[in-house]
């Protein structure tokens, strides 16, 4: 592989994790807004929040797009 190019060739880094990060940030912002900033994050609560975001982000369409974007 060419030097300093692996991040461009990894489809999940290029396409998926940015979607996941954005969606998770939106969910956290909504949670903070709805709870007036009073939130106690537990492992169980984190998993429920993360699972929703993961299912929205990691769709077949998004995965295929990430691979197409890196031309793999």
């Amino acid at each position: 592989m060419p030097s300093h190019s692996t991040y461009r060739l990894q489809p999940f880094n290029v396409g998926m994790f940015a979607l996941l990060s954005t969606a998770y940030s939106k969910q956290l912002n909504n949670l903070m807004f709805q709870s007036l900033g009073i939130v106690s994050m537990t492992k169980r609560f984190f998993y429920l929040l993360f699972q929703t975001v993961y299912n929205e982000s990691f769709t077949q369409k998004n995965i295929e797009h990430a691979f197409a974007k890196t031309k793999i």
Side-chain angles (χ1 to χ4, degrees), residues 37-52:
I38 302 170
V39 177
S40 177
M41 184 64 74
T42 63
K43 290 178 186 177
R44 187 173 291 181
F45 190 64
F46 166 79
Y47 179 72
L48 291 174
L49 189 68
F50 184 79
Q51 183 182 25
T52 303

Side-chain angles (χ1 to χ4, degrees), residues 31-63:
L31 176 66
M32 293 295 284
F33 180 75
Q34 292 173 356
S35 67
L36 302 175
I38 302 170
V39 177
S40 177
M41 184 64 74
T42 63
K43 290 178 186 177
R44 187 173 291 181
F45 190 64
F46 166 79
Y47 179 72
L48 291 174
L49 189 68
F50 184 79
Q51 183 182 25
T52 303
V53 171
Y54 179 86
N55 291 336
E56 290 174 6
S57 301
F58 279 70
T59 63
Q60 182 173 349
K61 178 184 171 187
N62 289 343
I63 293 169

